[in-house]
Amino acid sequence: MTPSQAEFRAWPFQEARTIIAQRQPAGDRPVLFETGFGPSGLPHIGTFAEVARTEWVRQAYGYLTGQPTRLLAFSDDMDGLRKVPLNVPQPQMLEQHLGKPLHVVPDPYGESTSYSAYMNAKLKAFLDAYGFDYAFQSSCAAYRAGHFDEGLQILLDKVADVRAIILPTLNESRRAVWSPFFPVCPDCGSVYATRVTGYHPERGTVDFVCDGQVGQVPGCGACGELPVTGGHVKVGWKVDWALRWFAYQVDYEMYGKDLIDSARLSGRIVRLMGRRPPVGLTYELFLDEEGRKISKSVGRGVTVDAWTRYAPLASLLYFIYQNPRRAKRLHWDIVPRCVDDYLAALRRYPEVPAAERPEQDVWHLFDRGRRVPEYGARVDFTTVNNLIAALGTDSERVLVDYLERYDPSARRYRDTITGLVQKGLNYYRDFVLPGMELRSPSSDERAMLRDLHERLAVADEADEETLQAIPFDVARAAGIQPRALFQSFYEVVFGQERGPRFGSFVRLVGKDKMLEMLASRLQA
RNA sequence: GAGCCCGUAGCUCAGCUGGUAGAGCAGCGGACUUUUAAUCCGUUGGUCGCGGGUUCGAUUCCCGCCGGGCUCGCCA
């Protein structure tokens, strides 16, 4: 490590240095970065953020040490469906599957083989869209493949100690019956209607009875003895976390501040099992407009789908990168500004001396600086959105042309510019256009617009000055202030108070198009 | 009760390892245009929550307090 690398202050480097200090990885196996996902509901920005941020730490770690690393995205699809989320279809159908592991609950969207498969696919689609290099691991598959067998036997051997750690944190009423093990009922498939009635460490099994109830779904009454290994039994939340840390020897995992207590307990359990917990970063949660935690099951806040529909994906990553330890409210207002900040960062990047680039946000976002897009145009997202509103046009081509006249250097970054225009248009079409009311012209206005139409029809469309003079001639002829004419014109034709310069707009869209627009409004 | 975060210009927020504060929007003034602009220039405005400490010097570090918010304490 060079001295300059030791001084990098960007947070992924700070995390990486903590790993070096606390875990002292020898490099004899890939250093493992884990991120956990609960497929009990639709992934939200926090879910994506966790993977993205973990990936950035991993990249920084690899940069500092040159050691092999691995990112494991773990999905707990053995978790049971405890309640039906408010924001997914077919609640009645799901109601019947309460208590079963998510990987056997049907997909309410009818697109995937199971509930969790659908949720997992959403997560993977996002990660793949950005080219994240990760290994996906389903919990169910891990249990069945025996990844956890060694740890499960240890937990069974030390079940009294595990209970001693967890019981004080539980409600008095649950302490007597609580077990770290959740048998999957071989008859009805429920994980939450069962309870353990006896432990047999010497045989590696537990006794169980399926006599509980989840929602309106009762247990089937089955009972018997099951091996704790091989996926017949899962372990409960905090124990499960510890089990993963143990089995995979996780070196690094971040989590939201809501899981601080859980992480502490899981840390005690993994130590009990004989290994050290990973280095962890607790990040602040993303909040909705009202400052409340964003929820998987209720669906508040700006969704990832919405962000990427109305703004570039990279701008979302840019937002996610910022200050993980700081709570951020997520509402639409911040998005355009975030895009502009992102563009500004791209613009600055080439000026930054090579040695200092790892301190730049975009260095982390784009493959350790290897794929940072070039962007040198003045055009920013605010400009684009203002222009869309001003021109009131739905045409991508017209907008791009206009922007390239406004800033000729924009031609060199046409892909980026086009992207901005497309996202801005999505927003315009979805939110501005439907609510826009074109006012019908009054009789006076009708006369002026007709006059405008007539004069324009005979004008030379190649001369912008001539075109620009027309509305003033109309105003003069009608004996009113040009300002009043323009206001009427914009309100009636564009549905807004202000608009583009008349002459240049006609030059751009063409005289015929303008005549057509006027004619159609004259009929209103 | 415990933990985390925040408290900087009217609003939304930046301020990285300490050297008397910045942006965007809003406001005000001006330019340009045949008094329409997505334009450009200029400009007003802050005891950096309060009180201590460290320091030659703190918005920036430490302690305490006040105020606001969230999370956990039901379950995984």
Side-chain angles (χ1 to χ4, degrees), chain A residues 330-383:
Chain A
L330 188 53
H331 49 276
W332 175 250
D333 296 2
I334 63 140
V335 175
R337 178 178 169 171
C338 182
V339 178
D340 286 351
D341 287 349
Y342 162 68
L343 293 174
L346 289 184
R347 245 179 243 123
R348 262 196 321 271
Y349 190 74
E351 313 293 326
V352 178
E356 294 168 23
R357 288 185 179 173
E359 292 290 72
Q360 297 289 308
D361 303 354
V362 292
W363 185 90
H364 294 269
L365 263 51
F366 294 103
D367 197 13
R368 299 181 196 166
R370 284 185 288 239
R371 292 185 299 158
V372 179
E374 276 187 56
Y375 191 69
R378 280 192 298 151
V379 174
D380 61 19
F381 202 43
T382 304
T383 310

Side-chain angles (χ1 to χ4, degrees), chain A residues 306-329:
Chain A
W307 188 306
T308 53
R309 177 164 171 76
Y310 304 123
L313 173 60
S315 66
L316 173 59
L317 273 294
Y318 186 80
F319 178 76
I320 285 171
Y321 180 87
Q322 312 298 323
N323 290 326
R325 289 181 212 271
R326 193 154 177 165
K328 279 186 284 291
R329 278 198 226 180

